[in-house]
Every structure is written in C-alpha cells, then in structure tokens.
Amino acid sequence: KALHQESPRRDHALISVNCAAIPESLIEAELFGYEKGAFTGANTQRKGLVEAADGGTLFLDEVGDMSPTMQVKLLRVLQEGTLIPVGGTEQRKVDVRVVAATNRDLKDMVERQTFREDLYYRINVINLVVPPLRDRKEDIPVLIDHFLARGCKEKNLPMKALQKRVLEKVFDYPWPGNIRELQNEVERLIVLTGDSNKIGAELLSQRIRD
C-alpha cells in the first residue's frame, strides 16, 4: 500500500528510506541528522535524509514499522515543515513531498493505537493499494525480463532466458515476499548461471522447485 503526502514543490531529487531496515537507535539520526558531539562518534555535523530530500521527494518504505516516537517527529515535518537534528536546538525548514509505503494495515494499527491517527490521515491523501504478486501473475514475465536485463547489464553478462519448466515453477509459486522475493531469485539465478544464457529449473531455490 502506498500513501502520498503532497507538497507544492516538484523537483527531481528522490531519497529512499526503508524504515524497517534501520535500527530504532539510529533512525532518528539517519532521518533528521545530528550536530557535532550529539553522541559518541558524532565527530562532525551531518545532514539527515529528510533535509537531503529538501525540494524533492522522500520515499518512506515500511512506514508502519516506525516507532511512536518517530511518528511524532515525522508528523512535525509534515505539519510544520520543520525538523530538529539530534543534539540540536534550532528548527530547520524543509519542503519535501512524502511518499510512504507499507505492507501493514495502518487503519487497523490506528484502531489498536499502534499508529498515530493524525499521522495516518496526514499521509493518507492519495491511497494506492498494490495487490500482492500472487494476484497479478500476468506481471511476472515483465518483471523477470526487467530484472534479467538489469542484472546481466550490471554484471556484464550475456542476456539470459528462462527455460519453460522454470516459468511453470515460477507461476505456480505464491511469492509471499512479492516483488522483492522475485527480484532476489532472479539475481541469484543470474549469478548461478554465469556465462550461460539458459536458466534451468534445477537452479531454482528449493522452496520454488517444490
């Protein structure tokens, strides 16, 4: 599910943040930056990702994994257009378009009081629900071609093709990890095939073969 918070500026800068991948002890410094001496190891002043996206777009992936404390700080950015770096005392102005995504049911989290209601309605301006990959398997061939082309180009390898049996297994598999799981599997297959341009079913992960 993607949630969109509109901003009047439309520059091209894009900063992406996976909120679930950054430890709770570090996410505030990553997002809002910090002043010199704010904590052990903060030997210089550092601009955060929100400020780096000033004038552009900030993509917050897995926003539903944000702690209540970080939700409050994000709400300030959206409502007031200001932030305070870790260890700082002065507010800094930012103008950022925010796009947020999550695999959680935020409405349910609001009802259970694990996600702030005011933040939910602030980011829920344009709501796009993306069906899981298992419900749109017609997209799989296009996605595979994209991941194959990009992966082979990055590794300077010949373009590869999946054998018929591979495609059958791929279509039968439910892909609980959605597009990320498919991407990881394609990248894995590229590495395993090396210079060969054919990908056989024997190279698929066991969970997909079975």
Side-chain angles (χ1 to χ4, degrees), residues 19 24 27 63-74 114-116 119:
C19 301
E24 175 64 26
I27 191 169
V63 71
D65 288 76
M66 261 192 183
S67 70
T69 299
M70 289 306 303
Q71 291 174 32
V72 172
K73 296 179 184 297
L74 175 60
T114 56
F115 196 85
R116 292 184 63 95
L119 177 57

mmCIF file of all heavy atoms in Angstrom, residues 19 24 27 63-74 114-116 119:
data_model
loop_
_atom_site.group_PDB
_atom_site.id
_atom_site.type_symbol
_atom_site.label_atom_id
_atom_site.label_comp_id
_atom_site.label_asym_id
_atom_site.label_seq_id
_atom_site.Cartn_x
_atom_site.Cartn_y
_atom_site.Cartn_z
ATOM 1 N N CYS A 19 12.290 2.121 6.502
ATOM 2 C CA CYS A 19 12.159 2.356 7.939
ATOM 3 C C CYS A 19 12.355 1.086 8.755
ATOM 4 O O CYS A 19 12.744 1.144 9.925
ATOM 5 C CB CYS A 19 10.789 2.956 8.248
ATOM 6 S SG CYS A 19 10.462 4.525 7.414
ATOM 7 N N GLU A 24 16.188 1.089 15.570
ATOM 8 C CA GLU A 24 15.493 2.158 16.270
ATOM 9 C C GLU A 24 16.465 3.180 16.855
ATOM 10 O O GLU A 24 16.182 4.383 16.879
ATOM 11 C CB GLU A 24 14.628 1.557 17.386
ATOM 12 C CG GLU A 24 13.939 2.571 18.287
ATOM 13 C CD GLU A 24 12.933 3.422 17.534
ATOM 14 O OE1 GLU A 24 12.423 2.951 16.509
ATOM 15 O OE2 GLU A 24 12.667 4.549 17.986
ATOM 16 N N ILE A 27 17.625 5.454 13.631
ATOM 17 C CA ILE A 27 16.759 6.020 12.600
ATOM 18 C C ILE A 27 16.558 7.525 12.747
ATOM 19 O O ILE A 27 16.483 8.252 11.755
ATOM 20 C CB ILE A 27 15.406 5.284 12.559
ATOM 21 C CG1 ILE A 27 14.634 5.718 11.308
ATOM 22 C CG2 ILE A 27 14.604 5.519 13.843
ATOM 23 C CD1 ILE A 27 13.419 4.875 11.019
ATOM 24 N N VAL A 63 6.648 2.348 6.370
ATOM 25 C CA VAL A 63 6.398 3.400 7.363
ATOM 26 C C VAL A 63 5.641 2.853 8.578
ATOM 27 O O VAL A 63 5.719 3.413 9.676
ATOM 28 C CB VAL A 63 5.635 4.573 6.704
ATOM 29 C CG1 VAL A 63 4.197 4.183 6.390
ATOM 30 C CG2 VAL A 63 5.684 5.822 7.570
ATOM 31 N N GLY A 64 4.929 1.747 8.395
ATOM 32 C CA GLY A 64 4.202 1.158 9.505
ATOM 33 C C GLY A 64 5.088 0.588 10.594
ATOM 34 O O GLY A 64 4.612 0.269 11.690
ATOM 35 N N ASP A 65 6.395 0.457 10.304
ATOM 36 C CA ASP A 65 7.338 -0.054 11.298
ATOM 37 C C ASP A 65 7.952 1.054 12.151
ATOM 38 O O ASP A 65 8.775 0.777 13.022
ATOM 39 C CB ASP A 65 8.461 -0.835 10.603
ATOM 40 C CG ASP A 65 7.967 -2.165 10.054
ATOM 41 O OD1 ASP A 65 7.287 -2.161 9.016
ATOM 42 O OD2 ASP A 65 8.263 -3.212 10.662
ATOM 43 N N MET A 66 7.569 2.278 11.912
ATOM 44 C CA MET A 66 8.104 3.397 12.692
ATOM 45 C C MET A 66 7.607 3.337 14.131
ATOM 46 O O MET A 66 6.445 3.055 14.391
ATOM 47 C CB MET A 66 7.676 4.730 12.080
ATOM 48 C CG MET A 66 8.709 5.383 11.215
ATOM 49 S SD MET A 66 8.229 7.075 10.837
ATOM 50 C CE MET A 66 9.583 7.509 9.768
ATOM 51 N N SER A 67 8.485 3.656 15.056
ATOM 52 C CA SER A 67 8.108 3.696 16.466
ATOM 53 C C SER A 67 7.208 4.904 16.731
ATOM 54 O O SER A 67 7.197 5.874 15.958
ATOM 55 C CB SER A 67 9.359 3.808 17.335
ATOM 56 O OG SER A 67 9.951 5.089 17.180
ATOM 57 N N PRO A 68 6.453 4.888 17.828
ATOM 58 C CA PRO A 68 5.610 6.044 18.170
ATOM 59 C C PRO A 68 6.400 7.345 18.269
ATOM 60 O O PRO A 68 5.914 8.403 17.858
ATOM 61 C CB PRO A 68 5.016 5.651 19.522
ATOM 62 C CG PRO A 68 4.987 4.152 19.501
ATOM 63 C CD PRO A 68 6.228 3.756 18.751
ATOM 64 N N THR A 69 7.616 7.278 18.784
ATOM 65 C CA THR A 69 8.439 8.485 18.910
ATOM 66 C C THR A 69 8.766 9.067 17.540
ATOM 67 O O THR A 69 8.666 10.283 17.314
ATOM 68 C CB THR A 69 9.746 8.166 19.657
ATOM 69 O OG1 THR A 69 9.437 7.691 20.960
ATOM 70 C CG2 THR A 69 10.620 9.406 19.772
ATOM 71 N N MET A 70 9.128 8.200 16.608
ATOM 72 C CA MET A 70 9.475 8.675 15.275
ATOM 73 C C MET A 70 8.242 9.151 14.523
ATOM 74 O O MET A 70 8.316 10.056 13.688
ATOM 75 C CB MET A 70 10.174 7.569 14.491
ATOM 76 C CG MET A 70 11.585 7.271 14.980
ATOM 77 S SD MET A 70 12.625 8.755 15.034
ATOM 78 C CE MET A 70 12.530 9.301 13.343
ATOM 79 N N GLN A 71 7.099 8.568 14.824
ATOM 80 C CA GLN A 71 5.857 9.021 14.194
ATOM 81 C C GLN A 71 5.574 10.477 14.551
ATOM 82 O O GLN A 71 5.153 11.271 13.707
ATOM 83 C CB GLN A 71 4.701 8.124 14.624
ATOM 84 C CG GLN A 71 4.757 6.711 14.073
ATOM 85 C CD GLN A 71 3.660 5.843 14.644
ATOM 86 O OE1 GLN A 71 2.564 6.320 14.954
ATOM 87 N NE2 GLN A 71 3.926 4.556 14.804
ATOM 88 N N VAL A 72 5.822 10.830 15.813
ATOM 89 C CA VAL A 72 5.615 12.217 16.258
ATOM 90 C C VAL A 72 6.534 13.162 15.500
ATOM 91 O O VAL A 72 6.121 14.227 15.034
ATOM 92 C CB VAL A 72 5.852 12.345 17.768
ATOM 93 C CG1 VAL A 72 5.826 13.811 18.185
ATOM 94 C CG2 VAL A 72 4.815 11.559 18.548
ATOM 95 N N LYS A 73 7.791 12.775 15.358
ATOM 96 C CA LYS A 73 8.777 13.624 14.681
ATOM 97 C C LYS A 73 8.463 13.755 13.194
ATOM 98 O O LYS A 73 8.634 14.825 12.601
ATOM 99 C CB LYS A 73 10.182 13.061 14.903
ATOM 100 C CG LYS A 73 10.616 13.092 16.373
ATOM 101 C CD LYS A 73 11.994 12.507 16.559
ATOM 102 C CE LYS A 73 12.375 12.445 18.048
ATOM 103 N NZ LYS A 73 12.452 13.778 18.653
ATOM 104 N N LEU A 74 7.984 12.667 12.562
ATOM 105 C CA LEU A 74 7.599 12.742 11.161
ATOM 106 C C LEU A 74 6.385 13.644 10.990
ATOM 107 O O LEU A 74 6.304 14.431 10.031
ATOM 108 C CB LEU A 74 7.294 11.341 10.626
ATOM 109 C CG LEU A 74 6.757 11.263 9.199
ATOM 110 C CD1 LEU A 74 7.748 11.861 8.208
ATOM 111 C CD2 LEU A 74 6.427 9.823 8.820
ATOM 112 N N THR A 114 -1.431 1.644 17.730
ATOM 113 C CA THR A 114 -0.004 1.426 17.497
ATOM 114 C C THR A 114 0.515 2.322 16.370
ATOM 115 O O THR A 114 1.713 2.345 16.109
ATOM 116 C CB THR A 114 0.284 -0.043 17.153
ATOM 117 O OG1 THR A 114 -0.499 -0.431 16.025
ATOM 118 C CG2 THR A 114 -0.046 -0.942 18.334
ATOM 119 N N PHE A 115 -0.399 3.033 15.725
ATOM 120 C CA PHE A 115 -0.010 4.030 14.728
ATOM 121 C C PHE A 115 -0.875 5.264 14.946
ATOM 122 O O PHE A 115 -2.086 5.158 15.134
ATOM 123 C CB PHE A 115 -0.209 3.498 13.306
ATOM 124 C CG PHE A 115 0.511 4.295 12.247
ATOM 125 C CD1 PHE A 115 1.836 4.027 11.949
ATOM 126 C CD2 PHE A 115 -0.138 5.319 11.568
ATOM 127 C CE1 PHE A 115 2.502 4.768 10.978
ATOM 128 C CE2 PHE A 115 0.526 6.065 10.603
ATOM 129 C CZ PHE A 115 1.850 5.781 10.303
ATOM 130 N N ARG A 116 -0.232 6.429 14.920
ATOM 131 C CA ARG A 116 -0.939 7.673 15.250
ATOM 132 C C ARG A 116 -2.026 7.974 14.222
ATOM 133 O O ARG A 116 -1.781 7.976 13.013
ATOM 134 C CB ARG A 116 0.036 8.844 15.310
ATOM 135 C CG ARG A 116 1.017 8.780 16.473
ATOM 136 C CD ARG A 116 1.861 10.056 16.489
ATOM 137 N NE ARG A 116 1.021 11.233 16.708
ATOM 138 C CZ ARG A 116 0.802 11.781 17.912
ATOM 139 N NH1 ARG A 116 1.351 11.255 18.996
ATOM 140 N NH2 ARG A 116 0.045 12.850 18.027
ATOM 141 N N LEU A 119 -1.205 11.126 12.125
ATOM 142 C CA LEU A 119 -0.210 10.874 11.089
ATOM 143 C C LEU A 119 -0.835 10.081 9.941
ATOM 144 O O LEU A 119 -0.559 10.340 8.772
ATOM 145 C CB LEU A 119 0.983 10.116 11.674
ATOM 146 C CG LEU A 119 2.075 9.706 10.684
ATOM 147 C CD1 LEU A 119 2.635 10.919 9.954
ATOM 148 C CD2 LEU A 119 3.190 8.955 11.400
#
